[in-house]
Amino acid sequence: MQAEPRRVAYVAHCLMNQNAKVSEFAKCAGVFSPLVERLVKNGYELQQLPCPEMSHMGAIRWWAAREQYDTPGYRRHCRNLAKGVVDLVTMHQDAGYDVVIVGLDGSPSSGVRLTSTKTSWGGRPEGAVHGGSDRRSGMGVWMEELKFEFEERGLEFPRATGVAMDAQDFDLQKAMVELDEFLTGDKEDAA
Amino acid sequence: MIREDLRSRRIAVVADFVVNPGSALYGRRQAPPTDFVDVLMERGWGIMKMPPHVAKFESCERLIEVSVGDLVDYRKNGYDVVIAAVGDLPQQGVWLDAMASCYARLRKDMPPVVTISSDASASDADALETALTSAA
């Protein structure tokens, strides 16, 4: 009888620590338990990605759209973090693990399928008071740099999806159905 | 419209081993899961999980450094932070010496460190709460 494959999920930092969210975006106290419970139930170990927004701009950062994070300096910061992450992913793969990534859809940094956009933001910050950023398909800057690091090492970017907690129309029930499909392999690479 | 923000403003720094005690990375040290992390989740702690202590330091160095930077910033802004060091693991499972070096470089004090065992349970989660009370 063949043993069950070992599985590990690298999850966006804030899915295990909502304190890292930009103000007004924490949807629970600490750990987003619907995700963690599903991962454990499906036999996944948990790894937590760093939050480059937190380490770049801190806990009291302003809201920002992808365009504001899309700078060479921020990308360099993300790439430095990506090197350590890809080393750890490789360590898991060498130990026989199937690796998946669960990002945060709608995020300017951690989005996998969906990111944010607001080309008019910049300068005097009160513009954000009159409405949040918009959403568009595509990866956030952090996920993109992580993917580039895999590619530059000649490695395949793991199967990835995102939980759309940063989307204005976030639907928990729908998101969990999608996640279940992804985790059980019914839905191939959502990225 | 101001959106409701539900963050707890408290963070527990935990070892990979207490989150993934059955990991193949731990070879013969593998252990069954305990309720420690479940209790932290139920009580609203945010978790900052450090890289596995069995990983190469060179792979983890930058990740440890940014983790400490985040923790310094959290405390500067009034968040509570406790490090749950695992007494019977190398580097206390959380890269504690490396974290201490980062704090020293930044000239910042370490947050409270609570020593738990590798089979930590709900009572160890109580100790984290106590450490916050004592530090207040």
Side-chain angles (χ1 to χ4, degrees), chain B residues 12-53:
Chain B
V13 180
V14 302
D16 182 75
F17 189 88
V18 299
V19 175
N20 302 304
S23 174
L25 299 181
Y26 297 117
R28 287 190 297 173
R29 245 214 110 122
Q30 281 177 56
T34 73
D35 59 356
F36 177 67
V37 174
D38 293 339
V39 172
L40 294 183
M41 280 169 55
E42 283 164 20
R43 294 181 184 176
W45 288 86
I47 287 179
M48 182 180 281
K49 191 195 75 60
M50 299 305 287
H53 67 272

Short mmCIF file of all heavy atoms in Angstrom, two decimals, chain B residues 12-53:
data_model
loop_
_atom_site.label_atom_id
_atom_site.label_comp_id
_atom_site.label_asym_id
_atom_site.label_seq_id
_atom_site.Cartn_x
_atom_site.Cartn_y
_atom_site.Cartn_z
N ALA B 12 1.71 35.69 19.38
CA ALA B 12 2.55 34.66 19.99
C ALA B 12 3.56 34.19 18.95
O ALA B 12 3.18 33.80 17.83
CB ALA B 12 1.70 33.49 20.45
N VAL B 13 4.82 34.25 19.31
CA VAL B 13 5.88 33.74 18.43
C VAL B 13 6.06 32.27 18.78
O VAL B 13 6.35 31.94 19.95
CB VAL B 13 7.19 34.51 18.64
CG1 VAL B 13 8.28 33.97 17.73
CG2 VAL B 13 6.98 36.00 18.41
N VAL B 14 5.86 31.38 17.83
CA VAL B 14 5.89 29.96 18.14
C VAL B 14 6.85 29.20 17.22
O VAL B 14 7.18 29.65 16.12
CB VAL B 14 4.47 29.31 18.05
CG1 VAL B 14 3.49 30.01 18.98
CG2 VAL B 14 3.95 29.32 16.63
N ALA B 15 7.25 28.05 17.71
CA ALA B 15 8.17 27.20 16.95
C ALA B 15 7.42 26.40 15.89
O ALA B 15 6.25 26.04 16.09
CB ALA B 15 8.87 26.23 17.91
N ASP B 16 8.10 26.11 14.80
CA ASP B 16 7.50 25.24 13.79
C ASP B 16 7.13 23.89 14.41
O ASP B 16 6.10 23.31 14.08
CB ASP B 16 8.51 25.03 12.64
CG ASP B 16 7.93 24.16 11.54
OD1 ASP B 16 7.10 24.67 10.79
OD2 ASP B 16 8.28 22.96 11.48
N PHE B 17 7.95 23.44 15.34
CA PHE B 17 7.72 22.11 15.92
C PHE B 17 6.37 22.01 16.62
O PHE B 17 5.70 20.98 16.56
CB PHE B 17 8.84 21.75 16.91
CG PHE B 17 8.78 20.32 17.39
CD1 PHE B 17 9.42 19.32 16.68
CD2 PHE B 17 8.06 19.98 18.52
CE1 PHE B 17 9.35 18.00 17.09
CE2 PHE B 17 7.99 18.66 18.94
CZ PHE B 17 8.63 17.67 18.23
N VAL B 18 5.92 23.08 17.29
CA VAL B 18 4.63 22.98 17.99
C VAL B 18 3.45 23.10 17.02
O VAL B 18 2.34 22.69 17.34
CB VAL B 18 4.49 24.01 19.15
CG1 VAL B 18 5.55 23.79 20.21
CG2 VAL B 18 4.48 25.43 18.66
N VAL B 19 3.71 23.65 15.83
CA VAL B 19 2.65 23.73 14.81
C VAL B 19 2.62 22.43 14.00
O VAL B 19 1.55 21.92 13.66
CB VAL B 19 2.87 24.95 13.88
CG1 VAL B 19 1.85 24.97 12.75
CG2 VAL B 19 2.80 26.25 14.69
N ASN B 20 3.79 21.89 13.69
CA ASN B 20 3.89 20.69 12.84
C ASN B 20 4.70 19.59 13.53
O ASN B 20 5.75 19.18 13.02
CB ASN B 20 4.58 21.07 11.52
CG ASN B 20 3.85 22.16 10.76
OD1 ASN B 20 2.67 22.03 10.45
ND2 ASN B 20 4.55 23.25 10.45
N PRO B 21 4.26 19.11 14.69
CA PRO B 21 5.10 18.15 15.42
C PRO B 21 5.29 16.82 14.70
O PRO B 21 6.25 16.11 14.96
CB PRO B 21 4.34 17.96 16.74
CG PRO B 21 2.93 18.33 16.44
CD PRO B 21 3.00 19.40 15.40
N GLY B 22 4.38 16.53 13.77
CA GLY B 22 4.51 15.24 13.06
C GLY B 22 5.26 15.35 11.76
O GLY B 22 5.28 14.40 10.96
N SER B 23 5.90 16.49 11.53
CA SER B 23 6.58 16.71 10.25
C SER B 23 7.72 15.71 10.03
O SER B 23 8.47 15.38 10.97
CB SER B 23 7.13 18.13 10.20
OG SER B 23 7.91 18.30 9.04
N ALA B 24 7.85 15.30 8.78
CA ALA B 24 8.96 14.41 8.42
C ALA B 24 10.31 15.09 8.65
O ALA B 24 11.33 14.41 8.79
CB ALA B 24 8.83 13.99 6.95
N LEU B 25 10.31 16.41 8.70
CA LEU B 25 11.56 17.14 8.92
C LEU B 25 12.17 16.77 10.27
O LEU B 25 13.37 16.94 10.48
CB LEU B 25 11.33 18.66 8.90
CG LEU B 25 10.77 19.27 7.62
CD1 LEU B 25 10.62 20.78 7.80
CD2 LEU B 25 11.66 18.97 6.42
N TYR B 26 11.32 16.28 11.19
CA TYR B 26 11.81 16.02 12.55
C TYR B 26 12.20 14.57 12.81
O TYR B 26 12.53 14.22 13.94
CB TYR B 26 10.78 16.53 13.57
CG TYR B 26 10.61 18.03 13.44
CD1 TYR B 26 9.40 18.60 13.08
CD2 TYR B 26 11.72 18.85 13.59
CE1 TYR B 26 9.29 19.96 12.90
CE2 TYR B 26 11.61 20.22 13.41
CZ TYR B 26 10.39 20.77 13.06
OH TYR B 26 10.30 22.12 12.87
N GLY B 27 12.16 13.77 11.76
CA GLY B 27 12.66 12.40 11.86
C GLY B 27 12.15 11.67 13.08
O GLY B 27 10.94 11.62 13.32
N ARG B 28 13.08 11.15 13.88
CA ARG B 28 12.68 10.34 15.04
C ARG B 28 12.07 11.18 16.17
O ARG B 28 11.56 10.65 17.14
CB ARG B 28 13.88 9.55 15.56
CG ARG B 28 14.23 8.39 14.61
CD ARG B 28 15.23 7.47 15.21
NE ARG B 28 16.50 8.14 15.47
CZ ARG B 28 17.51 7.58 16.12
NH1 ARG B 28 17.39 6.37 16.60
NH2 ARG B 28 18.65 8.22 16.29
N ARG B 29 12.19 12.50 16.02
CA ARG B 29 11.61 13.38 17.06
C ARG B 29 10.13 13.65 16.85
O ARG B 29 9.47 14.30 17.67
CB ARG B 29 12.35 14.71 17.06
CG ARG B 29 13.10 14.92 18.38
CD ARG B 29 13.16 16.31 18.84
NE ARG B 29 12.33 16.53 20.01
CZ ARG B 29 12.77 16.97 21.16
NH1 ARG B 29 14.04 17.20 21.33
NH2 ARG B 29 11.93 17.19 22.15
N GLN B 30 9.61 13.17 15.72
CA GLN B 30 8.20 13.43 15.41
C GLN B 30 7.32 13.09 16.60
O GLN B 30 7.55 12.12 17.31
CB GLN B 30 7.75 12.54 14.24
CG GLN B 30 8.18 13.05 12.89
CD GLN B 30 7.77 12.09 11.79
OE1 GLN B 30 6.60 11.77 11.66
NE2 GLN B 30 8.73 11.62 11.02
N ALA B 31 6.27 13.92 16.78
CA ALA B 31 5.39 13.74 17.94
C ALA B 31 3.95 13.97 17.52
O ALA B 31 3.69 14.60 16.49
CB ALA B 31 5.79 14.74 19.02
N PRO B 32 3.01 13.44 18.30
CA PRO B 32 1.59 13.68 17.97
C PRO B 32 1.23 15.14 18.24
O PRO B 32 1.87 15.81 19.05
CB PRO B 32 0.84 12.74 18.91
CG PRO B 32 1.79 12.45 20.02
CD PRO B 32 3.17 12.57 19.47
N PRO B 33 0.17 15.64 17.57
CA PRO B 33 -0.24 17.03 17.80
C PRO B 33 -0.79 17.23 19.22
O PRO B 33 -1.29 16.28 19.82
CB PRO B 33 -1.33 17.27 16.76
CG PRO B 33 -1.78 15.92 16.34
CD PRO B 33 -0.67 14.97 16.58
N THR B 34 -0.66 18.43 19.73
CA THR B 34 -1.26 18.77 21.03
C THR B 34 -2.31 19.86 20.79
O THR B 34 -2.51 20.29 19.66
CB THR B 34 -0.20 19.30 22.00
OG1 THR B 34 0.17 20.62 21.60
CG2 THR B 34 1.02 18.40 22.05
N ASP B 35 -2.95 20.29 21.87
CA ASP B 35 -3.98 21.32 21.70
C ASP B 35 -3.43 22.73 21.88
O ASP B 35 -4.19 23.70 21.89
CB ASP B 35 -5.14 21.08 22.68
CG ASP B 35 -4.69 21.08 24.14
OD1 ASP B 35 -3.47 21.20 24.39
OD2 ASP B 35 -5.56 20.96 25.02
N PHE B 36 -2.12 22.88 22.00
CA PHE B 36 -1.53 24.19 22.29
C PHE B 36 -1.91 25.25 21.24
O PHE B 36 -2.43 26.32 21.57
CB PHE B 36 0.00 24.05 22.37
CG PHE B 36 0.73 25.34 22.60
CD1 PHE B 36 0.59 26.04 23.79
CD2 PHE B 36 1.57 25.86 21.63
CE1 PHE B 36 1.27 27.23 24.01
CE2 PHE B 36 2.26 27.05 21.84
CZ PHE B 36 2.11 27.73 23.03
N VAL B 37 -1.69 24.92 19.98
CA VAL B 37 -1.98 25.89 18.93
C VAL B 37 -3.48 26.12 18.80
O VAL B 37 -3.94 27.26 18.58
CB VAL B 37 -1.35 25.45 17.58
CG1 VAL B 37 -1.77 26.37 16.45
CG2 VAL B 37 0.17 25.43 17.70
N ASP B 38 -4.27 25.06 18.97
CA ASP B 38 -5.73 25.22 18.92
C ASP B 38 -6.20 26.22 19.97
O ASP B 38 -7.07 27.06 19.70
CB ASP B 38 -6.44 23.87 19.18
CG ASP B 38 -6.18 22.88 18.07
OD1 ASP B 38 -5.84 23.31 16.96
OD2 ASP B 38 -6.32 21.66 18.32
N VAL B 39 -5.62 26.13 21.16
CA VAL B 39 -6.02 27.03 22.24
C VAL B 39 -5.61 28.47 21.91
O VAL B 39 -6.37 29.41 22.12
CB VAL B 39 -5.43 26.57 23.60
CG1 VAL B 39 -5.67 27.60 24.69
CG2 VAL B 39 -6.03 25.23 23.99
N LEU B 40 -4.41 28.64 21.36
CA LEU B 40 -3.98 29.98 20.96
C LEU B 40 -4.96 30.56 19.93
O LEU B 40 -5.34 31.73 20.00
CB LEU B 40 -2.57 29.96 20.35
CG LEU B 40 -1.40 29.60 21.26
CD1 LEU B 40 -0.08 29.72 20.49
CD2 LEU B 40 -1.35 30.49 22.50
N MET B 41 -5.37 29.71 18.99
CA MET B 41 -6.33 30.15 17.97
C MET B 41 -7.65 30.56 18.60
O MET B 41 -8.18 31.63 18.31
CB MET B 41 -6.57 29.03 16.95
CG MET B 41 -5.49 28.89 15.91
SD MET B 41 -5.63 27.37 14.91
CE MET B 41 -7.28 27.48 14.28
N GLU B 42 -8.15 29.70 19.48
CA GLU B 42 -9.45 29.99 20.13
C GLU B 42 -9.40 31.29 20.92
O GLU B 42 -10.38 32.02 21.01
CB GLU B 42 -9.82 28.86 21.09
CG GLU B 42 -10.36 27.62 20.42
CD GLU B 42 -10.35 26.43 21.37
OE1 GLU B 42 -10.28 26.64 22.60
OE2 GLU B 42 -10.38 25.28 20.87
N ARG B 43 -8.23 31.56 21.51
CA ARG B 43 -8.11 32.75 22.35
C ARG B 43 -7.73 34.01 21.56
O ARG B 43 -7.47 35.06 22.15
CB ARG B 43 -7.09 32.49 23.46
CG ARG B 43 -7.58 31.42 24.42
CD ARG B 43 -6.59 31.18 25.53
NE ARG B 43 -7.03 30.10 26.40
CZ ARG B 43 -6.32 29.61 27.41
NH1 ARG B 43 -5.13 30.13 27.68
NH2 ARG B 43 -6.79 28.62 28.14
N GLY B 44 -7.66 33.87 20.26
CA GLY B 44 -7.46 35.06 19.42
C GLY B 44 -6.04 35.53 19.26
O GLY B 44 -5.81 36.65 18.77
N TRP B 45 -5.08 34.71 19.63
CA TRP B 45 -3.68 35.11 19.39
C TRP B 45 -3.39 35.10 17.89
O TRP B 45 -3.79 34.17 17.19
CB TRP B 45 -2.71 34.14 20.06
CG TRP B 45 -2.62 34.19 21.54
CD1 TRP B 45 -3.42 33.52 22.43
CD2 TRP B 45 -1.69 34.94 22.33
NE1 TRP B 45 -3.04 33.81 23.72
CE2 TRP B 45 -1.97 34.68 23.69
CE3 TRP B 45 -0.64 35.80 22.01
CZ2 TRP B 45 -1.24 35.25 24.73
CZ3 TRP B 45 0.09 36.37 23.05
CH2 TRP B 45 -0.22 36.10 24.40
N GLY B 46 -2.66 36.10 17.43
CA GLY B 46 -2.08 35.99 16.11
C GLY B 46 -0.81 35.18 16.25
O GLY B 46 -0.12 35.27 17.27
N ILE B 47 -0.51 34.37 15.27
CA ILE B 47 0.66 33.49 15.36
C ILE B 47 1.74 33.96 14.39
O ILE B 47 1.48 34.20 13.21
CB ILE B 47 0.27 32.03 15.08
CG1 ILE B 47 -0.52 31.49 16.28
CG2 ILE B 47 1.48 31.16 14.77
CD1 ILE B 47 -0.99 30.08 16.13
N MET B 48 2.95 34.10 14.93
CA MET B 48 4.10 34.29 14.07
C MET B 48 4.94 33.03 14.22
O MET B 48 5.57 32.80 15.25
CB MET B 48 4.91 35.52 14.46
CG MET B 48 6.09 35.75 13.53
SD MET B 48 7.07 37.20 13.97
CE MET B 48 6.07 38.52 13.30
N LYS B 49 4.89 32.18 13.19
CA LYS B 49 5.60 30.90 13.26
C LYS B 49 7.01 31.08 12.69
O LYS B 49 7.17 31.55 11.57
CB LYS B 49 4.86 29.83 12.46
CG LYS B 49 5.39 28.44 12.69
CD LYS B 49 4.89 27.46 11.65
CE LYS B 49 5.59 27.64 10.33
NZ LYS B 49 7.06 27.46 10.34
N MET B 50 7.98 30.70 13.47
CA MET B 50 9.36 30.84 13.00
C MET B 50 9.71 29.67 12.07
O MET B 50 9.07 28.62 12.11
CB MET B 50 10.31 30.89 14.19
CG MET B 50 10.05 32.06 15.13
SD MET B 50 10.07 33.67 14.30
CE MET B 50 11.83 33.86 13.99
N PRO B 51 10.72 29.83 11.24
CA PRO B 51 11.11 28.73 10.34
C PRO B 51 11.54 27.50 11.15
O PRO B 51 12.00 27.63 12.29
CB PRO B 51 12.31 29.31 9.57
CG PRO B 51 12.24 30.79 9.74
CD PRO B 51 11.57 31.03 11.06
N PRO B 52 11.42 26.31 10.55
CA PRO B 52 11.81 25.09 11.27
C PRO B 52 13.25 25.20 11.79
O PRO B 52 14.14 25.64 11.04
CB PRO B 52 11.72 23.99 10.20
CG PRO B 52 10.80 24.55 9.16
CD PRO B 52 10.96 26.03 9.19
N HIS B 53 13.47 24.78 13.03
CA HIS B 53 14.81 24.94 13.61
C HIS B 53 15.82 23.99 12.97
O HIS B 53 17.03 24.14 13.18
CB HIS B 53 14.78 24.73 15.13
CG HIS B 53 14.47 23.34 15.56
ND1 HIS B 53 13.18 22.89 15.74
CD2 HIS B 53 15.27 22.28 15.82
CE1 HIS B 53 13.21 21.61 16.11
NE2 HIS B 53 14.46 21.22 16.17
#
